[in-house]
């Protein structure tokens, strides 16, 4: 095997096309993370990840400690679930996930005697004395075991079980670990606050993850609209081999393909995964959760949620027990303004609207966004002008207008020829469209039809 | 702890934000702003009658659009301004002496045959203003012939005709500032370039089409000059700055509805318009060919859209 002396290609911190929406980080960007007091009850969903539903491990009416195991992972791709507050386990029930899916859940009624662990966990996470050397005292296997036991999943929203992603695969070795601190969705500030206030955990988590998967390079990508986060990470990463990479503020920089282009100048083949170019991508929140799991053996039960937007009375970034209802978080932020029109789980580009606040925070919920009349798209839909702005915006170089035209005419063969299945539903096209056409909605519908006609051969 | 009054929350698909100030109507307004230097030159040269012709054509197009929409039971699309724009483009592409009936008939054909029969905004195959223009130029050949360009201020034929007849090229400065006879909107190269650049900077017109069209004409013109061994007084700049080339390149060929969607498709489209324009100018009896060149390429656009599908990022080359 020839080892090359030529340094691997470096990205220029940019990718082609995409959009520049106003970042709207000012609502909550300067609000330090505060610990949400434990709610009276939580509904912990047994499916907070991609994969098999976790299997209940406790009996109704038993008492459980915060961090105790509620449900065990089932099968190859799954993740265990832990109690996010201490209290009495209720009967198996159902709850609604932000994507409107109804799933099995366990209710925990708070035990008023037991102390809340939120403050303790946050002070561990945001501690200034994270030791970057700590990672080397664990083997890859030990780290993976702890990641798995802690129930860590991708916290950027994908919720893919992290140990499955990091488990070394000799056929496709990981060379580089890319940690996503872009937070390219407008409004959201959870990751930015985490990087600023818990930079040490992010760096140690990244070192642990790289050790687990065998990566020999670590880069943390952060958009250049977060100078404080970059400074904090640089300080925490001093004397380590973690590199902090400033990238352009542009949506969707946090998309895997765009980020890998911007940082490594590599192109993921169409239909492929980052692993195809030797990269594993994790979110900064996931990295911090890995640090907590490996060093402190703390399971993933709280996460930071930005409660933000023009519809929130007092926007905040809340360190929240998983299973809390959106209503509880919104109430802690002074409630909703009457002009609120949409509540979105996640960011405005790819998040889901929820029909009510009776929805549960999961490991993948990074924000609750309240948009008002004037902040959602205005005006009606006109016919397509074929102006091509959607094409100019699409980061994947698709022709969205053609895909949608084919879908409208139920010509799914044409939709497929126009690469409908490549679309990642980032929303750039619909954002840019002057005619107000809900392109992404059409594309989703078209994809379902195309897949019905011919089952996908795996991948995305 | 629950919020007091239950709000009616909308459920809708992502994305939940849209680019501010970007709408169909604003795009049409933008093109009108881009046309303002051209309209200004027309009014400066020909005074109120020029203004009257533009207003008449715009009003007629708006009227016909509303009438056709009503007849076909379609929602009124008048508010988005595209009909008014068609009217303006029609008036600007006709001679300054165009009589009222010519403008009205042109407007009727532009909206009726150019747009409405196809299903209205966004569905039309051809640029409506050019359909109207083509119709009247066939119906009233005298109305668009050399004599029609004779006005008080300007005498003589258009630079292209004059050169064909007498072999005397126009002064470049006249072509720049528009002190030559010609259609209302086409005479001043400077005004066309200024308005066109505005549209391109605002992203309301593609840059690929004008660039490839002009580059093609430049190339073919240069070849022709190289081939002609007599010293040529009609320079390549004359090719580009005379007739409807710049007006067509920036305001007509860039009409999004009737031009291709992908970048490469647009480059091909612009090149096609360039080649056809050059062909008509060189070999046909007509001194000018931009209009027919654009209409022909409009007809090819669906094919370009169908076969020039860009490779998605990461696709095997
Ligand atoms: S941006 Fe909208 S109007 Fe323009 S081509 Fe795309 S879908 Fe059509
Ligand atoms: S949603 Fe799909 S088609 Fe639209 S810009 Fe994103 S990738 Fe391209």
């Amino acid at each position: 095997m020839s080892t090359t002396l030529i340094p691997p290609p470096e990205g220029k911190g940019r990718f082609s096309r995409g959009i520049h929406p106003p970042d709207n980080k000012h609502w909550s960007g300067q609000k330090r993370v505060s610990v949400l007091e434990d709610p009276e009850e939580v509904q912990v969903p047994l499916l907070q990840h991609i994969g098999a539903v976790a299997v209940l491990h406790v009996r109704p009416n038993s008492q459980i400690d915060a961090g105790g195991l509620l449900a065990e992972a089932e099968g190859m791709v799954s993740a265990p679930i832990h109690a996010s507050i201490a209290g009495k386990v209720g009967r198996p029930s159902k709850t609604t996930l932000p994507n409107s899916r109804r799933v099995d859940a366990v209710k925990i009624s708070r035990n008023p005697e037991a102390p809340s662990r939120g403050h303790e966990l946050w002070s561990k996470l945001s501690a200034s004395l994270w030791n970057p050397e700590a990672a080397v005292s664990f083997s890859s296997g030990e780290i993976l075991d702890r990641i798995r036991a802690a129930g860590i999943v991708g916290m950027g929203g994908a919720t893919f079980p992290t140990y499955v992603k990091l488990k070394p695969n000799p056929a496709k070795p990981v060379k580089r670990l890319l940690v996503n601190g872009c937070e390219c969705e407008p409004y959201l500030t959870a990751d930015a606050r985490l990087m600023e206030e818990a930079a040490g955990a992010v760096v140690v988590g990244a070192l642990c993850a790289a050790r687990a998967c065998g990566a020999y390079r670590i880069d943390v990508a952060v958009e250049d609209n977060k100078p404080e986060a970059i400074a904090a990470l640089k300080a925490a990463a001093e004397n380590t081999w973690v590199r902090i990479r400033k990238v352009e503020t542009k949506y969707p920089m946090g998309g895997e393909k765009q980020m890998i282009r911007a940082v490594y100048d590599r192109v993921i083949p169409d239909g492929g995964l980052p692993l195809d170019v030797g990269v594993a991508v994790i979110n900064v929140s996931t990295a911090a959760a890995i640090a907590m799991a490996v060093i402190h053996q703390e399971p993933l039960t709280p996460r930071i949620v930005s409660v933000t937007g023009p519809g929130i009375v007092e926007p905040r970034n809340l360190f929240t027990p998983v299973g809390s209802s959106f209503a509880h978080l919104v109430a802690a932020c002074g409630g909703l303004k009457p002009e609120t029109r949409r509540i979105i789980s996640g960011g405005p580009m790819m998040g889901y609207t929820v029909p009510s606040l009776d929805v549960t925070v999961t490991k993948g919920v990074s924000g609750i966004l309240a948009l008002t009349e004037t902040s959602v798209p205005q005006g009606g839909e006109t016919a397509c002008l074929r102006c091509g702005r959607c094409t100019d915006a699409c980061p994947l170089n698709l022709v969205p207008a053609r895909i949608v035209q084919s879908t409208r005419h139920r010509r799914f063969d044409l939709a497929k020829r126009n690469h409908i299945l490549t679309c990642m539903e980032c929303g750039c096209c619909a954002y840019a469209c002057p005619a107000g056409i809900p392109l992404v909605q059409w594309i989703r519908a078209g994809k379902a039809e195309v897949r019905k006609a011919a089952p996908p051969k795996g991948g995305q | 702890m629950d919020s007091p009054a239950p709000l009616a929350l909308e459920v809708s698909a992502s994305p939940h934000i849209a680019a501010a100030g970007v709408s169909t109507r604003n795009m049409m307004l933008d093109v009108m702003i881009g046309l303002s230097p051209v309209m200004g030159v027309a009014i400066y040269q020909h005074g109120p009658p020029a203004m009257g012709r533009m207003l008449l054509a715009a009003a007629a197009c708006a009227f016909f659009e509303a009438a056709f929409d009503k007849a076909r039971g379609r929602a009124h699309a008048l508010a988005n301004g595209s009909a008014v724009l068609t009217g303006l483009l029609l008036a600007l592409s006709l001679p300054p002496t165009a009589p009222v009936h010519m403008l009205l008939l042109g407007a009727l054909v532009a909206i009726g045959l150019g747009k409405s029969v196809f299903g209205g905004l966004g569905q039309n195959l051809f640029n409506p203003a050019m359909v109207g223009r083509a119709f009247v130029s066939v119906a009233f050949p005298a109305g668009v012939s050399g004599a029609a360009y004779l006005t008080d201020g300007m005498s003589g034929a258009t630079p292209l005709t004059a050169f064909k007849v007498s072999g005397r090229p126009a002064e470049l400065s006249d072509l720049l500032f528009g002190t030559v006879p010609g259609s209302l909107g086409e005479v001043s190269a400077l005004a066309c370039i200024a308005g066109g650049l505005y549209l391109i900077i605002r992203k309301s017109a593609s840059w690929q089409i004008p660039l490839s069209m002009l580059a093609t004409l430049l190339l073919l013109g240069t070849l022709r000059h190289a081939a002609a061994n007599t010293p040529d007084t009609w320079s390549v700049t004359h090719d580009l700055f005379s007739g409807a080339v710049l007006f067509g390149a920036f305001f007509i060929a860039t009409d999004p509805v009737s031009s291709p969607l992908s970048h490469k498709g647009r480059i091909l489209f612009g090149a096609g318009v360039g080649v056809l324009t050059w062909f008509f100018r060189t070999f046909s009896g007509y001194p000018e060919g931009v209009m027919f060149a654009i209409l022909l390429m409009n007809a090819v656009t669906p094919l370009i859209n169908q076969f020039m599908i860009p490779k998605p990022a990461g696709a095997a080359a």
Side-chain angles (χ1 to χ4, degrees):
Chain A
M1 227 179 86
S2 71
T3 47
T4 170
L5 290 176
I6 305 162
E10 291 287 338
K12 296 193 173 67
R14 294 193 299 268
F15 67 93
S16 342
R17 292 176 289 275
I19 54 172
H20 289 282
D23 78 2
N24 273 309
K25 306 276 189 189
H26 61 276
W27 297 98
S28 54
Q30 300 305 318
K31 303 282 174 62
R32 294 186 71 83
V33 173
S34 38
V35 177
L36 180 67
E37 295 311 323
D38 286 351
E40 283 309 310
E41 61 167 58
V42 290
Q43 290 277 1
V44 184
L46 297 184
L47 183 64
Q48 300 190 38
H49 46 263
I50 289 178
V53 179
V55 180
L56 203 56
H57 188 263
V58 289
R59 271 203 300 274
N61 293 325
S62 55
Q63 290 287 333
I64 193 162
D65 289 334
L69 184 68
L70 265 185
E72 191 35 277
E74 169 73 15
M76 288 291 287
V77 178
S78 184
I81 308 250
H82 302 81
S84 55
I85 65 172
K88 195 172 85 175
V89 176
R91 309 209 144 273
S93 58
K94 291 260 180 195
T95 192
T96 310
L97 297 186
N99 60 9
S100 301
R101 191 160 164 192
R102 296 277 294 169
V103 298
D104 291 334
V106 195
K107 185 166 99 176
I108 304 174
S109 309
R110 185 169 71 97
N111 172 4
E113 254 89 275
S116 158
R117 287 203 71 212
H119 290 280
E120 180 198 340
L121 290 174
W122 175 245
S123 57
K124 276 188 184 173
L125 186 60
S126 59
S128 51
L129 31 92
W130 282 95
N131 176 12
E133 308 285 307
V136 288
S137 50
F138 299 92
S139 70
S140 164
E142 282 169 331
I143 294 173
L144 284 169
D145 285 345
R146 290 185 180 196
I147 290 174
R148 186 187 175 284
I152 296 176
V153 300
M155 291 167 76
T159 66
F160 188 76
T162 302
Y163 86 95
V164 181
K165 184 185 264 185
L166 296 179
K167 200 168 52 184
N169 168 0
K172 286 186 180 174
V174 173
K175 298 180 186 132
R176 306 159 187 180
L177 180 78
L178 181 51
V179 184
N180 178 5
C182 295
E183 202 168 47
C184 60
E185 279 268 13
Y187 290 100
L188 300 186
T189 56
D191 287 350
R193 292 313 316 174
L194 177 82
M195 291 185 276
E196 218 180 308
E197 298 182 47
V202 172
V203 168
V204 171
L207 288 162
C208 292
R211 199 167 165 78
C213 65
Y216 52 73
R217 239 187 96 162
I218 306 175
D219 296 85
V220 185
V222 189
E223 288 188 340
D224 57 13
N225 64 349
K226 302 184 234 324
E228 294 93 349
I230 293 173
L233 285 171
K234 281 203 164 142
E238 218 175 348
N239 301 323
T240 73
W241 48 290
V242 177
R243 309 199 312 166
I244 313 303
R245 300 289 297 274
K246 187 162 86 176
V247 293
E248 187 192 358
T249 300
K250 188 184 200 186
Y251 180 85
M253 182 57 88
E256 290 176 337
K257 292 188 174 180
Q258 289 67 40
M259 206 167 33
I260 286 174
R261 178 64 188 248
V263 175
Y264 297 128
D265 198 25
R266 296 295 302 268
V267 178
I268 302 178
D270 185 25
L273 294 171
L275 210 47
D276 294 326
V277 291
V279 180
V281 181
I282 62 172
N283 187 267
V284 281
S285 318
T286 315
I290 290 173
M292 289 291 277
V294 174
I295 310 296
H296 296 300
Q297 290 190 286
E298 292 289 356
L300 171 53
T301 59
R303 68 155 299 143
I304 304 175
V305 180
S306 304
V307 185
T308 185
I312 299 288
V313 172
E314 199 194 317
R316 295 169 77 185
N317 298 293
L318 295 171
F319 194 61
T320 305
V322 162
S324 308
S325 79
F326 276 28
H328 181 64
L329 279 83
V330 169
C333 295
L336 294 176
K337 293 188 194 157
E339 56 270 29
T340 303
R341 282 293 162 274
R342 292 187 197 178
I343 306 283
I344 294 150
S345 170
M349 292 303 296
M350 290 186 81
Y352 306 97
T353 46
V354 297
S356 78
L357 291 177
D358 188 16
V359 168
T360 302
V361 173
T362 66
K363 296 170 183 176
V365 172
S366 49
I368 300 174
L369 171 61
L371 291 181
T372 53
E373 198 100 57
T374 50
S375 49
V376 297
Q378 310 285 309
E381 186 180 336
T382 75
C384 170
L385 306 170
R386 298 192 243 163
C387 64
R389 290 197 181 206
C390 48
T391 310
D392 296 340
C394 179
L396 298 179
N397 203 21
L398 308 179
V399 186
R402 285 284 293 171
I403 299 176
V404 169
Q405 192 189 17
S406 314
T407 307
R408 274 188 208 250
H409 295 149
R410 306 196 59 79
R411 287 292 308 275
F412 302 114
D413 56 325
L414 276 183
K416 201 170 166 203
R417 271 220 352 226
N418 280 278
H419 309 288
I420 188 172
L421 294 179
T422 299
C423 168
M424 59 176 169
E425 300 175 20
C426 66
C428 291
C429 51
Y431 176 87
C433 174
I437 298 169
L439 292 148
V440 179
Q441 210 175 339
W442 279 107
I443 292 175
R444 273 195 207 118
K447 275 186 184 174
E449 295 285 342
V450 171
R451 292 216 170 98
K452 236 192 274 170
K457 27 178 202 327
Q460 303 170 329
Chain B
M1 76 172 210
D2 289 357
S3 49
L7 291 162
L9 292 178
E10 294 171 7
V11 176
S12 78
S14 63
H16 306 286
I17 50 175
V22 176
S23 66
T24 299
R25 190 194 162 96
N26 283 356
M27 281 195 59
M28 300 298 163
L29 281 176
D30 234 19
V31 180
M32 293 183 206
I33 294 174
L35 278 173
S36 57
V38 168
M39 297 195 282
V41 168
I43 293 169
Y44 176 77
Q45 284 188 342
H46 304 287
M51 180 120 98
R53 286 190 171 82
M54 290 189 268
L55 289 176
L56 178 70
C61 283
F63 171 80
F64 291 131
E65 167 127 317
F68 283 119
D69 277 351
K70 200 173 160 95
R72 307 191 52 157
R74 261 199 308 261
H76 280 280
L78 203 54
N80 62 44
S82 70
V84 170
L85 181 60
T86 298
L88 290 176
L89 290 172
L90 176 69
L92 288 168
S93 67
L94 287 172
T97 57
V100 169
H101 65 268
M102 193 162 140
L103 288 165
L104 289 181
L105 202 61
L108 177 65
V109 171
I111 298 296
L113 285 179
K115 190 170 175 192
S116 208
V117 290
F118 290 99
L121 176 67
Q123 309 300 311
N124 44 297
L125 185 57
F126 300 102
N127 180 305
M130 285 303 99
V131 173
R133 168 73 161 76
F135 181 83
V136 297
S137 69
V138 175
F140 312 105
V144 292
S145 73
Y149 296 96
L150 289 173
T151 57
D152 293 346
M154 236 87 51
S155 61
T158 64
L160 281 164
T161 311
F163 183 69
K164 269 209 162 170
V165 175
S166 71
R168 248 173 23 111
E171 291 293 328
L172 277 181
S173 64
D174 287 337
L175 291 177
L176 261 187
F177 297 109
T179 44
V180 288
S183 294
L184 269 188
E186 72 183 26
V187 288
S188 165
L190 211 56
C192 289
I193 292 172
L197 287 182
Y198 169 82
L199 289 185
I200 286 170
I201 289 167
R202 296 270 304 160
K203 297 197 175 129
S204 288
S206 85
W207 56 266
Q208 294 96 343
I209 292 172
L211 188 74
S212 76
M213 173 175 163
L214 298 177
T216 306
L217 279 169
L218 195 69
L219 184 76
L220 292 173
T222 313
L223 289 180
R224 185 175 55 104
H225 284 277
N229 30 22
T230 51
D232 213 342
T233 46
W234 182 266
S235 72
V236 183
T237 323
H238 283 89
D239 275 342
L240 297 190
F241 282 15
S242 69
V245 166
L246 289 172
F247 183 71
F250 287 117
F251 300 108
I252 307 286
T254 52
D255 167 26
V257 173
S258 49
S259 59
L261 275 164
S262 67
H263 294 180
K264 281 190 192 144
R266 287 171 175 175
I267 289 172
L268 182 68
F269 178 92
V273 174
V275 170
L276 289 171
T277 300
W278 176 84
F279 185 86
F280 289 136
R281 279 185 169 184
T282 313
F283 299 110
S284 82
Y286 283 99
E288 181 54 295
V290 175
M291 170 185 69
F292 285 113
I294 291 176
L295 285 171
L296 280 173
M297 287 311 291
N298 286 164
V300 181
T301 294
L303 274 177
I304 298 182
N305 276 339
Q306 191 166 346
F307 290 105
M308 293 193 66
I309 301 172
K311 289 243 177 297

